[in-house]
C-alpha cells in the first residue's frame, strides 16, 4: 500500500510542477501587475541566494547545466528508440533501468518548466522600462529625423575621439589589461544610484568555455536562468566585452527584453571612468543609429557626406571577432558556421516571438527609441 502511494506521488509531483508553471505563465500574460510584483519583490531573491552560490564557481555553472540537459535528452531519445524497437527482446533489467531514467527525466522536465517560468518567461510580461523608470523628461513624444541625426552625429563624434587613445598591437587590435569583469560590476552598481531597480548583488560575469561554438551563432553573451549567471563570449573582439557584460548583468535584475538590456548596458558603460567602457557603449549602438540615420535622410549620399563620418579605426573596432579568432573558430568547428547560425537565429527568433516579442530579433534595434528618449533635453 505504502509503495503504491509513493509511486503515485512520484508521478503526480512532476506533473504538478508542469501545471504550476503553466498557470504562472497564464497569470503572467493575463495580469501584468502580477509580473511587476514578482520581478520587484521575489525575483531578486534568486540572485541574492542561488546567484551568490553559483558565483562561487570559477566557471559557468549554467553553461555546463545546458550541456548536461542536452545529454539527458539524447539519452532519453536513444533509450526510447531502443526500448520501443526491441521491447520484447530486451532484458528486464534494461526495461526497469529505462523506466527509472524516464521518471528521472520527467522530474527534471517539471523542475525546468518552473525555473524557466520564474527566471525567464514571466520577465517578458513586466511593464516596459519607460514605465518602471523615468527616462529623459518622462514625456511621451514622437522623434523624427532631426533627433535621430543629432544622436547619431553625437555618438559618431564620441567614438571617433576615443578610438586613438588606446594602446594597440601590431595588427591594430586594441590592448587592455585591467579587470574588465570587476569594472562591469562596479558600473552596474553605479547605475543603480540612478535606477534603483538595478540595485543589489551582481555576480562576476563569466567567460563561456565553448566560446567558439557561440561565436558560430554570433552570440556575444548569454544569461542562464538555471544558474542566475551572466556569461560572455571570450573569443569576441575586446570592444564588445564591456557592454555585453553589463547587458547580461541587467537580465539578472529582471530586464529580459533585449532592447532594454542594450539600453542598460549602454548607460552602465557610457559614464564609466574607463575609456574602453565608454568606447564599447558607443560602438554597441552605432550600427543601429547609422541605419536609422541613413533612412531618416532618405538614403541621400550627398546629405550623408555632410555629417561626421565613422573613422576607419572605429569601423574596424566594430568587428565581432578578429580574423585570427575566426580562423581558430573555423579550424575547430564541428558543424559549418552557416548551419549553426541559421539554427540559432531560428531558435532565438521563435523564443522571442512565443514570449510576446512580435518582431523577434529585430527588437534589439529598439534601443534607439530608448536612447532618443534618454537624450531628450540633452542633445535636442
Amino acid at each position: 500500500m505504502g509503495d503504491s502511494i509513493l509511486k503515485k506521488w512520484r508521478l503526480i509531483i512532476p506533473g504538478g510542477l508542469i501545471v504550476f508553471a503553466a498557470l504562472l505563465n497564464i497569470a503572467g500574460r493575463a495580469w501584468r501587475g502580477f509580473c511587476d510584483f514578482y520581478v520587484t519583490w521575489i525575483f531578486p531573491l534568486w540572485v541574492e541566494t542561488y546567484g551568490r552560490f553559483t558565483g562561487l564557481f570559477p566557471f559557468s555553472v549554467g553553461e555546463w547545466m545546458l550541456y548536461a540537459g542536452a545529454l539527458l535528452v539524447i539519452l532519453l531519445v536513444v533509450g526510447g528508440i531502443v526500448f520501443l524497437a526491441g521491447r520484447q527482446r530486451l532484458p528486464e533489467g534494461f526495461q526497469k533501468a529505462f523506466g527509472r531514467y524516464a521518471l528521472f527525466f520527467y522530474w527534471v522536465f517539471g523542475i525546468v518548466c518552473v525555473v524557466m517560468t520564474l527566471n525567464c518567461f514571466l520577465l517578458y510580461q513586466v511593464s516596459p522600462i519607460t514605465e518602471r523608470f523615468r527616462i529623459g523628461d518622462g514625456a511621451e513624444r514622437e522623434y523624427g529625423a532631426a533627433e535621430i541625426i543629432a544622436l547619431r552625429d553625437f555618438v559618431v563624434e564620441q567614438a571617433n575621439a576615443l578610438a586613438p587613445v588606446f594602446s594597440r598591437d601590431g595588427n591594430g587590435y586594441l590592448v587592455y589589461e585591467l579587470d574588465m569583469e570587476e569594472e562591469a560590476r562596479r558600473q552596474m552598481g553605479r547605475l543603480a544610484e540612478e535606477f534603483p531597480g538595478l540595485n543589489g548583488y551582481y555576480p562576476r560575469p563569466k567567460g563561456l568555455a565553448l566560446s567558439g561554438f557561440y561565436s558560430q551563432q554570433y552570440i556575444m553573451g548569454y544569461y542562464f536562468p538555471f544558474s542566475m549567471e551572466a556569461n560572455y563570449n571570450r573569443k569576441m573582439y575586446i570592444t564588445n566585452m564591456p557592454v555585453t557584460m553589463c547587458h547580461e548583468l541587467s537580465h539578472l535584475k529582471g530586464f529580459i527584453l533585449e532592447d532594454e538590456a542594450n539600453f542598460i548596458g549602454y548607460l552602465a558603460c557610457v559614464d564609466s571612468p574607463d575609456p574602453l567602457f565608454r568606447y564599447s557603449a558607443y560602438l554597441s549602438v552605432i550600427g543601429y543609429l547609422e541605419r536609422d540615420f541613413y533612412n531618416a535622410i532618405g538614403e541621400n549620399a550627398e546629405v550623408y557626406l555632410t555629417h561626421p563620418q565613422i573613422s576607419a579605426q572605429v569601423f574596424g573596432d566594430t568587428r565581432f571577432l578578429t580574423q585570427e579568432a575566426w580562423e581558430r573558430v573555423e579550424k575547430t568547428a564541428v558543424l559549418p558556421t552557416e548551419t549553426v547560425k541559421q539554427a540559432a537565429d531560428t531558435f532565438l527568433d521563435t523564443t522571442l516571438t512565443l514570449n510576446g516579442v512580435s518582431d523577434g530579433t529585430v527588437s534589439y534595434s529598439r534601443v534607439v527609441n530608448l536612447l532618443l528618449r534618454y537624450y531628450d533635453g540633452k542633445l535636442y
Side-chain angles (χ1 to χ4, degrees):
M1 181 67 176
D3 288 345
S4 177
I5 294 175
L6 182 60
K7 288 180 180 179
K8 287 182 179 179
W9 279 107
R10 286 174 180 171
L11 294 173
I12 290 173
I13 293 176
L17 291 174
I18 295 171
V19 172
F20 177 61
L23 292 175
L24 283 176
N25 277 286
I26 292 171
R29 288 178 178 269
W31 182 22
R32 176 170 283 176
F34 166 71
C35 293
D36 288 347
F37 175 85
Y38 170 76
V39 81
T40 301
W41 301 107
I42 301 176
F43 180 72
L45 298 176
W46 312 144
V47 184
E48 296 289 345
T49 54
Y50 184 51
R52 286 182 182 271
F53 172 71
T54 57
L56 297 174
F57 295 87
F59 57 87
S60 173
V61 176
E63 181 182 8
W64 292 103
M65 290 175 73
L66 182 65
Y67 304 148
L71 179 60
L72 290 179
V73 173
I74 292 172
L75 291 175
L76 180 71
V77 172
V78 173
I81 293 173
V82 173
F83 180 78
L84 294 174
R87 184 173 183 178
Q88 302 302 322
R89 302 186 300 275
L90 291 172
E92 184 178 350
F94 177 87
Q95 295 186 38
K96 289 183 177 180
F98 179 73
R100 286 193 290 268
Y101 178 75
L103 178 61
F104 166 73
F105 188 90
Y106 183 37
W107 272 83
V108 171
F109 181 73
I111 294 170
V112 167
C113 287
V114 173
V115 171
M116 286 298 295
T117 297
L118 293 176
N119 293 352
C120 184
F121 299 150
L122 288 181
L123 307 184
Y124 280 100
Q125 311 307 324
V126 301
S127 296
I129 193 172
T130 51
E131 294 181 17
R132 297 163 69 182
F133 296 149
R134 179 184 175 89
I135 300 174
D137 61 8
E140 291 285 346
R141 57 169 292 192
E142 293 290 327
Y143 296 98
E147 293 82 8
I148 292 174
I149 292 170
L151 178 56
R152 178 266 179 191
D153 288 355
F154 167 76
V155 169
V156 169
E157 288 170 350
Q158 296 299 311
N160 285 347
L162 280 168
V165 308
F166 302 104
S167 298
R168 295 176 183 268
D169 63 16
N171 293 317
Y173 300 146
L174 194 147
V175 176
Y176 186 85
E177 297 178 351
L178 301 180
D179 189 342
M180 193 183 302
E181 296 169 355
E182 190 57 36
E183 178 65 13
R185 296 177 68 191
R186 279 196 294 267
Q187 291 312 307
M188 289 299 291
R190 176 196 56 77
L191 191 60
E193 298 173 5
E194 182 178 356
F195 301 111
L198 295 171
N199 56 3
Y201 170 74
Y202 283 98
R204 191 178 182 88
K206 299 176 181 179
L208 292 159
L210 302 186
S211 288
F213 178 63
Y214 291 96
S215 295
Q216 288 186 280
Q217 302 172 60
Y218 286 78
I219 287 177
M220 293 184 177
Y222 224 107
Y223 157 63
F224 285 110
F226 309 110
S227 60
M228 301 306 291
E229 292 172 304
N231 302 264
Y232 65 95
N233 185 335
R234 294 182 295 109
K235 291 189 179 295
M236 65 182 174
Y237 188 51
I238 196 169
T239 55
N240 300 303
M241 291 184 181
V243 77
T244 297
M245 291 179 188
C246 294
H247 172 117
E248 300 305 327
L249 286 172
S250 74
H251 289 324
L252 298 177
K253 298 303 175 183
F255 295 90
I256 200 69
L257 295 178
E258 297 300 337
D259 57 318
E260 295 183 357
N262 281 346
F263 178 63
I264 292 172
Y266 175 90
L267 293 185
C269 292
V270 78
D271 289 327
S272 169
D274 188 317
L276 177 61
F277 274 67
R278 299 198 301 274
Y279 193 44
S280 181
Y282 295 126
L283 294 187
S284 72
V285 298
I286 203 168
Y288 300 132
L289 289 168
E290 185 76 350
R291 182 205 61 195
D292 288 359
F293 162 67
Y294 197 57
N295 290 334
I297 62 174
E299 301 182 1
N300 188 315
E302 291 185 5
V303 173
Y304 181 87
L305 292 174
T306 64
H307 289 266
Q309 302 299 295
I310 298 174
S311 72
Q313 204 166 37
V314 169
F315 185 78
D317 285 337
T318 60
R319 70 182 82 239
F320 175 46
L321 264 68
T322 66
Q323 183 61 38
E324 294 80 2
W326 266 124
E327 290 173 359
R328 289 192 293 271
V329 167
E330 295 293 353
K331 186 176 180 179
T332 58
V334 176
L335 296 171
T337 294
E338 184 178 348
T339 301
V340 173
K341 186 177 187 305
Q342 184 175 7
D345 287 348
T346 301
F347 174 77
L348 180 58
D349 199 67
T350 301
T351 300
L352 291 171
T353 303
L354 289 175
N355 280 287
V357 183
S358 58
D359 51 354
T361 53
V362 176
S363 64
Y364 283 68
S365 65
R366 290 206 302 262
V367 66
V368 171
N369 296 327
L370 294 172
L371 290 171
L372 286 168
R373 186 165 178 159
Y374 179 76
Y375 282 105
D376 195 346
K378 301 175 182 178
L379 296 179
Y380 35 83

